Amino acid sequence: MDLSVSPPSAAADPDWTPGMGPGSPGRAAGDGGATGGTPPTPPGPVTTGGSQPQGQSWLSLARGAWEAFLRAPIFWLGIAVLAGPTLYDLASRGWGTDQAAHAPIVFATAIWLFALSARDAAKAMRAPPAWAAVVALVPGLALYAAARITGLLEVRGLAAYLSLIAVLYAVGGKRVLGVLWFPILYSIFLIPIPDSFVDIATQPVKLAISKSVVGLLSGLGYPVATSGVSIYIGQFELLIAAACAGLNSLISLTAIGSFYVYLRHNASWRYTLLLVALILPIAVFANFLRVLILVLLTYYAGEAVAQGFLHEAAGLFMFVVSVLTIFAVDKLFTVVGRRFGWMKA
């Protein structure tokens, strides 16, 4: 942060009056003022040592990164060999899916967060013993080798992620991990969730949404019924897919919400966890409304209309509503917290 001290004005000095020399009343000759009847010139702006031009700031950051590389080149070259091909494969094969549509944004912002905390991390560096660094690296490397053999991209991404954490620990110790705790946790969103896990995790949510929509419409007199995750209304049958269960939007909302809270509330991990816990019901309720809208569109306009452009538009609209809801909840909590002294103003 750039801090500067404003130059003192003439009025701020009670002993100095324009036009008065050192022998004039109200000013002693030996008080350090100008001689010869000339009033002293107020000092110019004084800038603290923490302030520096933007170009020099990035230059010092790059110099610090190079020095960190020179201190442990083997570690950094190793993580580049592991993470480089893995990130490429994730970007080309995994980030194009619904489960990881948020990953490109997370990747760019994660790099920015690491750069933002790099100077503090460099000050906190205290390398652990060599045996501790080796112990930290072994699990990630073993998992990476197994993922290479089995061809599981998601597991390989997790192994590269764990290896990155181990390298950061090997270079800087626990204190560096403490400084970089949020960028490290935030980077986990780069790894897509396997489809098999998505099917298992979303099944209860799909059943709950299906029953809730049918219960509401049935109470309003619509000819609707349900069987598992299928909804029957009139002559139409709708199947609730995993995307309608809210897991995809839940992951994206968690990434966006945690990033927003971290920056807005000075990296308060407690408040971050609180708001992240509220994202699940927000995402599920938003997808309940989405399914309700699509069922009504199918009933009144036909399946072709409901499964066309309006299907994607409804999903995008509910995602925007969910993000705005998170912002509104955060604003409400902030106002209440400051009013009762739970949060700093």
Side-chain angles (χ1 to χ4, degrees), residues 31-153:
D31 62 353
T35 60
T38 304
T41 303
V46 179
T47 304
T48 61
S51 174
Q52 54 182 322
Q54 186 69 21
Q56 295 183 11
S57 176
W58 283 106
L59 183 61
S60 64
L61 183 62
R63 187 182 299 112
W66 176 247
E67 292 174 355
F69 171 77
L70 292 180
R71 278 193 292 265
I74 299 300
F75 286 127
W76 295 116
L77 289 175
I79 197 61
V81 171
L82 290 179
T86 302
L87 278 174
Y88 176 79
D89 291 340
L90 286 174
S92 59
R93 291 190 285 167
W95 291 358
T97 63
D98 293 337
Q99 289 88 349
H102 56 277
I105 299 176
V106 172
F107 180 67
T109 51
I111 293 176
W112 179 72
L113 288 173
F114 274 110
L116 197 65
S117 306
R119 186 174 290 108
D120 293 335
K123 295 178 181 178
M125 288 180 63
R126 184 175 298 173
W131 65 266
V134 172
V135 170
L137 281 167
V138 166
L141 295 178
L143 185 62
Y144 185 87
R148 272 292 189 182
I149 295 173
T150 57
L152 297 175
L153 180 59

Side-chain angles (χ1 to χ4, degrees), residues 3-345:
L3 299 175
S4 60
V5 180
S6 300
S9 61
D13 187 354
D15 296 330
W16 178 75
T17 305
M20 296 179 61
S24 302
R27 186 170 185 89
D31 62 353
T35 60
T38 304
T41 303
V46 179
T47 304
T48 61
S51 174
Q52 54 182 322
Q54 186 69 21
Q56 295 183 11
S57 176
W58 283 106
L59 183 61
S60 64
L61 183 62
R63 187 182 299 112
W66 176 247
E67 292 174 355
F69 171 77
L70 292 180
R71 278 193 292 265
I74 299 300
F75 286 127
W76 295 116
L77 289 175
I79 197 61
V81 171
L82 290 179
T86 302
L87 278 174
Y88 176 79
D89 291 340
L90 286 174
S92 59
R93 291 190 285 167
W95 291 358
T97 63
D98 293 337
Q99 289 88 349
H102 56 277
I105 299 176
V106 172
F107 180 67
T109 51
I111 293 176
W112 179 72
L113 288 173
F114 274 110
L116 197 65
S117 306
R119 186 174 290 108
D120 293 335
K123 295 178 181 178
M125 288 180 63
R126 184 175 298 173
W131 65 266
V134 172
V135 170
L137 281 167
V138 166
L141 295 178
L143 185 62
Y144 185 87
R148 272 292 189 182
I149 295 173
T150 57
L152 297 175
L153 180 59
E154 295 84 359
V155 178
R156 181 151 59 98
L158 178 61
Y161 172 78
L162 295 177
S163 299
L164 172 62
I165 298 176
V167 166
L168 291 174
Y169 170 73
V171 172
K174 295 180 181 179
R175 296 178 62 184
V176 167
L177 297 183
V179 173
L180 299 175
W181 71 270
F182 183 79
I184 290 173
L185 291 180
Y186 183 67
S187 300
I188 194 67
F189 293 109
L190 294 173
I191 306 173
I193 300 177
D195 293 335
S196 57
F197 178 81
V198 171
D199 294 336
I200 296 174
T202 58
Q203 187 66 19
V205 182
K206 289 188 290 185
L207 290 173
I209 290 178
S210 175
K211 292 180 179 179
S212 301
V213 170
V214 169
L216 176 62
L217 294 179
S218 178
L220 295 176
Y222 286 90
V224 62
T226 181
S227 176
V229 295
S230 298
I231 297 178
Y232 303 90
I233 182 166
Q235 72 271 30
F236 301 105
E237 176 184 1
L238 294 88
L239 177 66
I240 300 180
C244 295
L247 184 62
N248 297 337
S249 59
L250 173 62
I251 297 171
S252 300
L253 286 172
T254 303
I256 294 174
S258 58
F259 178 76
Y260 164 78
V261 175
Y262 176 80
L263 294 182
R264 175 171 165 77
H265 295 284
N266 299 322
S268 173
W269 65 270
R270 295 180 180 86
Y271 187 76
T272 300
L273 291 179
L274 173 63
L275 202 64
V276 166
L278 294 176
I279 290 176
L280 176 59
I282 292 174
V284 172
F285 181 71
N287 282 275
F288 163 79
L289 294 179
R290 177 189 181 187
V291 173
L292 179 64
I293 292 172
L294 292 176
V295 170
L296 292 176
L297 278 175
T298 302
Y299 181 70
Y300 285 108
E303 185 177 2
V305 174
Q307 298 302 319
F309 169 77
L310 292 179
H311 184 275
E312 299 299 329
L316 179 61
F317 174 74
M318 294 315 303
F319 181 80
V320 172
V321 170
S322 300
V323 173
L324 295 179
T325 302
I326 293 174
F327 293 166
V329 170
D330 170 62
K331 182 64 175 179
L332 176 63
F333 281 3
T334 301
V335 172
V336 173
R338 289 176 179 174
R339 181 178 182 85
F340 289 95
W342 300 333
M343 299 177 64
K344 294 181 181 180

